[in-house]
Amino acid sequence: MTERLEGESGLTRAVALLRAGELVAIPTETVYGLAADARNGEAVAAIFEAKGRPRFNPLISHLASLEAAAEVGVIEGAALELAQTFWPGPLTLVVPLRAESGLSSLVTAGLGTVALRVPALPLAHALLTAFDGPLAAPSANPSGKISPSTADHVAESLAGRIAAVLDGGPAEVGVESTIVDCSGPTPRLLRPGGLPVEALEAALGAPLNHEAPTNDTPPNAPGQLSSHYAPGKQVVLNVTKPAEDALFLAFGPGYPQASANLSLGGDLREAAANLFAMLHALDTQPGSVIAVAPIPNNGLGLAINDRLTRAAAPR
Ligand code: AMP
Ligand code: MG
């Protein structure tokens, strides 16, 4: 059953659950977030499972302070300017990911950038300080439903699917954070939200680029800014008997010849947690083809297959 938590003892319990890799819905000033330890791949995979999200889009990591955020991402230039002006608050910054961040690659969907936020709500700040690490959290609602601004909203839609809800009262802002991508040459608005664009432009002393990247933007290349990660090698799906020279990414038992196995026991949560790290690792090995075993198309398998299908699409 989903525990309802509040007050000092609730906060202590929430931290204990999060450290144990459980999911806890947490209050912030924007909306309630569905939080998991961002360093624990299976915990992060469980977020997608609980939300029924059919896609591994990257998640925002929440931290207690700018100092803590700077251990996960490279915060310089315009990003530092904006962080110093608006954190804590309803602003998310996309910045280059630090190699030693310790984050699960599922949080960034395998990208070289990371979305960071330092929330202002005192209870969120207290929780992050006590947890002492990054919490990955999308909004705490089933995929496709509206974002929750009270603990009751969360309980109505996710009860039984998550360990607990920490009640911090109604969310003040009520809409998601504004997201600014600071990983490119100039800051770009990715999502309007709780922090007005005018405030950002005043701080930057310049208009903010609103342009969505066009289809003419160069295709993905390793290390380049891209909307989703795909290996440089050719990816072939639903392979049970891989060619001799192919790198074989297996799923489940019965593949002793595999180069890597997403989950020997056939566990989709473990497979999701391993997906991006294993694709990256195989991509650095000699060979030109990554052959992937069939993945069941249910539960988290939907999101795994979505990502693999895109990785296998001709580029
Ligand atoms: P949600 O977690 O549902 O609030 O959504 C998070 C938003 O942040 C999504 O629109 C993501 O596409 C965006 N986002 C998170 N990480 C990144 C990243 N590394 N690069 C670009 N966008 C990101
Ligand atoms: Mg959402």
CSV table of all heavy atoms in Angstrom, one decimal, residues 163-204:
chain,number,residue,atom,x,y,z
A,163,ALA,N,5.7,3.7,-3.3
A,163,ALA,CA,5.8,3.4,-1.9
A,163,ALA,C,5.1,4.4,-1.0
A,163,ALA,O,4.5,4.0,0.0
A,163,ALA,CB,7.3,3.3,-1.5
A,164,ALA,N,5.2,5.7,-1.3
A,164,ALA,CA,4.7,6.7,-0.4
A,164,ALA,C,4.4,8.0,-1.1
A,164,ALA,O,5.0,8.3,-2.2
A,164,ALA,CB,5.7,6.9,0.7
A,165,VAL,N,3.6,8.9,-0.5
A,165,VAL,CA,3.4,10.3,-0.9
A,165,VAL,C,3.8,11.1,0.3
A,165,VAL,O,3.3,10.9,1.4
A,165,VAL,CB,2.0,10.6,-1.3
A,165,VAL,CG1,1.9,12.0,-1.8
A,165,VAL,CG2,1.4,9.6,-2.3
A,166,LEU,N,4.7,12.1,0.1
A,166,LEU,CA,5.0,13.0,1.2
A,166,LEU,C,4.1,14.3,1.0
A,166,LEU,O,4.2,14.9,-0.1
A,166,LEU,CB,6.5,13.4,1.1
A,166,LEU,CG,7.0,14.4,2.2
A,166,LEU,CD1,6.8,13.9,3.6
A,166,LEU,CD2,8.5,14.7,1.9
A,167,ASP,N,3.3,14.5,2.0
A,167,ASP,CA,2.3,15.6,1.8
A,167,ASP,C,3.0,17.0,2.2
A,167,ASP,O,3.4,17.1,3.4
A,167,ASP,CB,1.1,15.4,2.7
A,167,ASP,CG,-0.1,16.3,2.4
A,167,ASP,OD1,0.2,17.3,1.7
A,167,ASP,OD2,-1.2,16.1,2.8
A,168,GLY,N,3.1,17.9,1.3
A,168,GLY,CA,3.6,19.2,1.6
A,168,GLY,C,2.6,20.3,1.3
A,168,GLY,O,3.0,21.4,1.1
A,169,GLY,N,1.3,19.9,1.3
A,169,GLY,CA,0.3,20.9,1.0
A,169,GLY,C,0.2,21.2,-0.5
A,169,GLY,O,1.0,20.6,-1.3
A,170,PRO,N,-0.7,22.1,-0.9
A,170,PRO,CA,-0.9,22.3,-2.3
A,170,PRO,C,0.4,23.0,-2.9
A,170,PRO,O,1.0,23.9,-2.3
A,170,PRO,CB,-2.1,23.3,-2.4
A,170,PRO,CG,-2.5,23.5,-1.0
A,170,PRO,CD,-1.6,22.8,-0.1
A,171,ALA,N,0.7,22.6,-4.2
A,171,ALA,CA,1.9,23.2,-4.8
A,171,ALA,C,1.5,24.7,-5.2
A,171,ALA,O,0.4,25.0,-5.7
A,171,ALA,CB,2.2,22.5,-6.1
A,172,GLU,N,2.4,25.6,-4.9
A,172,GLU,CA,2.1,27.0,-5.0
A,172,GLU,C,2.1,27.5,-6.5
A,172,GLU,O,1.2,28.2,-6.9
A,172,GLU,CB,3.3,27.8,-4.3
A,172,GLU,CG,2.8,28.9,-3.4
A,172,GLU,CD,4.0,29.4,-2.6
A,172,GLU,OE1,4.7,30.2,-3.2
A,172,GLU,OE2,4.2,29.0,-1.5
A,173,VAL,N,3.0,27.0,-7.3
A,173,VAL,CA,3.1,27.5,-8.7
A,173,VAL,C,2.1,26.7,-9.5
A,173,VAL,O,1.4,27.3,-10.3
A,173,VAL,CB,4.6,27.3,-9.2
A,173,VAL,CG1,4.6,27.7,-10.7
A,173,VAL,CG2,5.6,28.1,-8.4
A,174,GLY,N,2.0,25.4,-9.3
A,174,GLY,CA,1.0,24.6,-10.0
A,174,GLY,C,1.3,24.2,-11.5
A,174,GLY,O,0.5,23.4,-12.0
A,175,VAL,N,2.3,24.8,-12.1
A,175,VAL,CA,2.7,24.3,-13.4
A,175,VAL,C,4.2,23.9,-13.3
A,175,VAL,O,4.9,24.3,-12.4
A,175,VAL,CB,2.6,25.4,-14.5
A,175,VAL,CG1,1.1,25.8,-14.7
A,175,VAL,CG2,3.4,26.7,-14.1
A,176,GLU,N,4.7,23.2,-14.3
A,176,GLU,CA,6.0,22.6,-14.3
A,176,GLU,C,7.1,23.8,-14.4
A,176,GLU,O,6.8,24.9,-14.7
A,176,GLU,CB,6.2,21.7,-15.5
A,176,GLU,CG,5.7,20.3,-15.3
A,176,GLU,CD,4.3,20.1,-15.7
A,176,GLU,OE1,3.6,21.1,-16.0
A,176,GLU,OE2,3.8,18.9,-15.7
A,177,SER,N,8.3,23.4,-14.1
A,177,SER,CA,9.4,24.3,-14.2
A,177,SER,C,9.7,24.8,-15.6
A,177,SER,O,9.4,24.0,-16.6
A,177,SER,CB,10.7,23.7,-13.6
A,177,SER,OG,11.1,22.6,-14.3
A,178,THR,N,10.2,26.0,-15.8
A,178,THR,CA,10.7,26.4,-17.1
A,178,THR,C,12.0,25.7,-17.3
A,178,THR,O,12.8,25.6,-16.4
A,178,THR,CB,10.9,28.0,-17.0
A,178,THR,OG1,9.6,28.6,-16.6
A,178,THR,CG2,11.4,28.5,-18.3
A,179,ILE,N,12.2,25.2,-18.5
A,179,ILE,CA,13.4,24.5,-18.9
A,179,ILE,C,14.2,25.4,-19.9
A,179,ILE,O,13.7,25.7,-20.9
A,179,ILE,CB,13.2,23.1,-19.4
A,179,ILE,CG1,12.3,22.3,-18.5
A,179,ILE,CG2,14.5,22.4,-19.7
A,179,ILE,CD1,12.0,20.9,-19.0
A,180,VAL,N,15.5,25.7,-19.5
A,180,VAL,CA,16.4,26.4,-20.4
A,180,VAL,C,17.6,25.5,-20.7
A,180,VAL,O,18.2,25.0,-19.8
A,180,VAL,CB,16.9,27.7,-19.8
A,180,VAL,CG1,17.8,28.4,-20.8
A,180,VAL,CG2,15.7,28.6,-19.5
A,181,ASP,N,17.9,25.3,-22.0
A,181,ASP,CA,19.0,24.5,-22.4
A,181,ASP,C,20.2,25.4,-22.5
A,181,ASP,O,20.3,26.2,-23.4
A,181,ASP,CB,18.7,23.8,-23.8
A,181,ASP,CG,19.8,22.9,-24.3
A,181,ASP,OD1,20.9,22.8,-23.6
A,181,ASP,OD2,19.7,22.3,-25.3
A,182,CYS,N,21.2,25.1,-21.6
A,182,CYS,CA,22.4,25.9,-21.6
A,182,CYS,C,23.6,25.1,-22.1
A,182,CYS,O,24.7,25.4,-21.8
A,182,CYS,CB,22.7,26.5,-20.2
A,182,CYS,SG,21.5,27.7,-19.6
A,183,SER,N,23.3,24.0,-22.8
A,183,SER,CA,24.4,23.1,-23.2
A,183,SER,C,25.0,23.5,-24.6
A,183,SER,O,26.0,23.0,-25.0
A,183,SER,CB,24.0,21.7,-23.2
A,183,SER,OG,23.0,21.5,-24.2
A,184,GLY,N,24.3,24.4,-25.3
A,184,GLY,CA,24.8,24.9,-26.6
A,184,GLY,C,25.4,26.2,-26.5
A,184,GLY,O,25.7,26.7,-25.4
A,185,PRO,N,25.7,26.9,-27.6
A,185,PRO,CA,26.4,28.2,-27.7
A,185,PRO,C,25.6,29.3,-27.0
A,185,PRO,O,26.2,30.2,-26.4
A,185,PRO,CB,26.7,28.4,-29.1
A,185,PRO,CG,26.0,27.3,-29.9
A,185,PRO,CD,25.5,26.3,-29.0
A,186,THR,N,24.3,29.3,-27.2
A,186,THR,CA,23.4,30.3,-26.5
A,186,THR,C,22.2,29.6,-25.9
A,186,THR,O,21.8,28.6,-26.3
A,186,THR,CB,22.9,31.3,-27.5
A,186,THR,OG1,22.2,30.6,-28.6
A,186,THR,CG2,24.0,32.2,-28.2
A,187,PRO,N,21.8,30.2,-24.7
A,187,PRO,CA,20.7,29.5,-24.0
A,187,PRO,C,19.4,29.5,-24.9
A,187,PRO,O,19.1,30.4,-25.7
A,187,PRO,CB,20.4,30.5,-22.8
A,187,PRO,CG,21.6,31.3,-22.7
A,187,PRO,CD,22.2,31.4,-24.1
A,188,ARG,N,18.6,28.4,-24.7
A,188,ARG,CA,17.4,28.2,-25.5
A,188,ARG,C,16.3,27.7,-24.6
A,188,ARG,O,16.5,26.8,-23.8
A,188,ARG,CB,17.8,27.1,-26.6
A,188,ARG,CG,16.8,27.0,-27.7
A,188,ARG,CD,17.5,26.3,-28.9
A,188,ARG,NE,18.0,24.9,-28.5
A,188,ARG,CZ,17.2,23.9,-28.5
A,188,ARG,NH1,16.0,23.9,-28.9
A,188,ARG,NH2,17.7,22.7,-28.2
A,189,LEU,N,15.1,28.2,-24.8
A,189,LEU,CA,14.0,27.8,-24.1
A,189,LEU,C,13.4,26.5,-24.6
A,189,LEU,O,13.1,26.4,-25.7
A,189,LEU,CB,12.9,28.9,-24.2
A,189,LEU,CG,11.6,28.6,-23.4
A,189,LEU,CD1,11.9,28.8,-21.9
A,189,LEU,CD2,10.4,29.5,-23.8
A,190,LEU,N,13.4,25.5,-23.7
A,190,LEU,CA,12.9,24.2,-24.1
A,190,LEU,C,11.4,24.0,-23.7
A,190,LEU,O,10.7,23.3,-24.4
A,190,LEU,CB,13.7,23.0,-23.5
A,190,LEU,CG,15.1,22.8,-24.0
A,190,LEU,CD1,15.7,21.5,-23.3
A,190,LEU,CD2,15.2,22.7,-25.5
A,191,ARG,N,11.1,24.6,-22.6
A,191,ARG,CA,9.7,24.4,-22.1
A,191,ARG,C,9.3,25.7,-21.3
A,191,ARG,O,10.0,26.0,-20.3
A,191,ARG,CB,9.6,23.2,-21.3
A,191,ARG,CG,8.2,23.0,-20.7
A,191,ARG,CD,8.0,21.7,-19.9
A,191,ARG,NE,8.6,21.8,-18.5
A,191,ARG,CZ,8.7,20.8,-17.7
A,191,ARG,NH1,8.3,19.6,-18.1
A,191,ARG,NH2,9.2,20.9,-16.5
A,192,PRO,N,8.3,26.4,-21.6
A,192,PRO,CA,7.8,27.5,-20.8
A,192,PRO,C,7.2,26.9,-19.5
A,192,PRO,O,6.7,25.7,-19.5
A,192,PRO,CB,6.7,28.2,-21.6
A,192,PRO,CG,6.4,27.2,-22.7
A,192,PRO,CD,7.4,26.1,-22.8
A,193,GLY,N,7.3,27.6,-18.4
A,193,GLY,CA,6.8,27.0,-17.2
A,193,GLY,C,6.7,28.1,-16.1
A,193,GLY,O,6.4,29.3,-16.4
A,194,GLY,N,6.9,27.7,-14.8
A,194,GLY,CA,6.6,28.5,-13.7
A,194,GLY,C,7.5,29.8,-13.6
A,194,GLY,O,7.0,30.8,-13.0
A,195,LEU,N,8.6,29.8,-14.2
A,195,LEU,CA,9.4,31.1,-14.2
A,195,LEU,C,9.2,31.8,-15.5
A,195,LEU,O,9.5,31.3,-16.6
A,195,LEU,CB,10.9,30.7,-14.0
A,195,LEU,CG,11.8,32.0,-13.9
A,195,LEU,CD1,11.6,32.7,-12.6
A,195,LEU,CD2,13.3,31.6,-14.1
A,196,PRO,N,8.7,33.1,-15.5
A,196,PRO,CA,8.4,33.8,-16.7
A,196,PRO,C,9.6,34.0,-17.6
A,196,PRO,O,10.7,34.3,-17.1
A,196,PRO,CB,7.8,35.1,-16.3
A,196,PRO,CG,7.5,34.9,-14.8
A,196,PRO,CD,8.3,33.8,-14.3
A,197,VAL,N,9.4,33.9,-18.9
A,197,VAL,CA,10.5,34.1,-19.9
A,197,VAL,C,11.1,35.5,-19.7
A,197,VAL,O,12.3,35.7,-19.8
A,197,VAL,CB,10.0,33.9,-21.3
A,197,VAL,CG1,11.0,34.3,-22.3
A,197,VAL,CG2,9.7,32.4,-21.5
A,198,GLU,N,10.2,36.5,-19.4
A,198,GLU,CA,10.7,37.9,-19.3
A,198,GLU,C,11.7,38.0,-18.2
A,198,GLU,O,12.7,38.8,-18.3
A,198,GLU,CB,9.5,38.8,-18.9
A,198,GLU,CG,8.5,39.0,-20.1
A,198,GLU,CD,7.5,37.8,-20.3
A,198,GLU,OE1,7.5,36.9,-19.4
A,198,GLU,OE2,6.8,37.8,-21.2
A,199,ALA,N,11.5,37.3,-17.1
A,199,ALA,CA,12.5,37.3,-16.0
A,199,ALA,C,13.8,36.7,-16.4
A,199,ALA,O,14.9,37.3,-16.1
A,199,ALA,CB,11.9,36.5,-14.8
A,200,LEU,N,13.8,35.7,-17.2
A,200,LEU,CA,15.0,35.1,-17.7
A,200,LEU,C,15.7,36.1,-18.6
A,200,LEU,O,17.0,36.2,-18.5
A,200,LEU,CB,14.7,33.8,-18.5
A,200,LEU,CG,14.2,32.6,-17.7
A,200,LEU,CD1,13.6,31.6,-18.5
A,200,LEU,CD2,15.4,32.0,-17.0
A,201,GLU,N,15.0,36.7,-19.5
A,201,GLU,CA,15.6,37.6,-20.5
A,201,GLU,C,16.2,38.8,-19.8
A,201,GLU,O,17.2,39.3,-20.1
A,201,GLU,CB,14.5,38.0,-21.5
A,201,GLU,CG,14.2,36.8,-22.4
A,201,GLU,CD,13.2,37.1,-23.5
A,201,GLU,OE1,12.4,38.1,-23.4
A,201,GLU,OE2,13.3,36.4,-24.5
A,202,ALA,N,15.5,39.3,-18.7
A,202,ALA,CA,16.0,40.4,-17.9
A,202,ALA,C,17.4,40.0,-17.3
A,202,ALA,O,18.3,40.8,-17.3
A,202,ALA,CB,15.0,40.8,-16.9
A,203,ALA,N,17.4,38.8,-16.8
A,203,ALA,CA,18.7,38.4,-16.1
A,203,ALA,C,19.8,38.2,-17.1
A,203,ALA,O,21.0,38.5,-16.9
A,203,ALA,CB,18.4,37.1,-15.4
A,204,LEU,N,19.4,37.7,-18.3
A,204,LEU,CA,20.5,37.4,-19.4
A,204,LEU,C,20.8,38.7,-20.1
A,204,LEU,O,21.9,38.8,-20.7
A,204,LEU,CB,19.9,36.4,-20.4
A,204,LEU,CG,19.8,35.0,-19.9
A,204,LEU,CD1,19.0,34.1,-21.0
A,204,LEU,CD2,21.2,34.3,-19.7
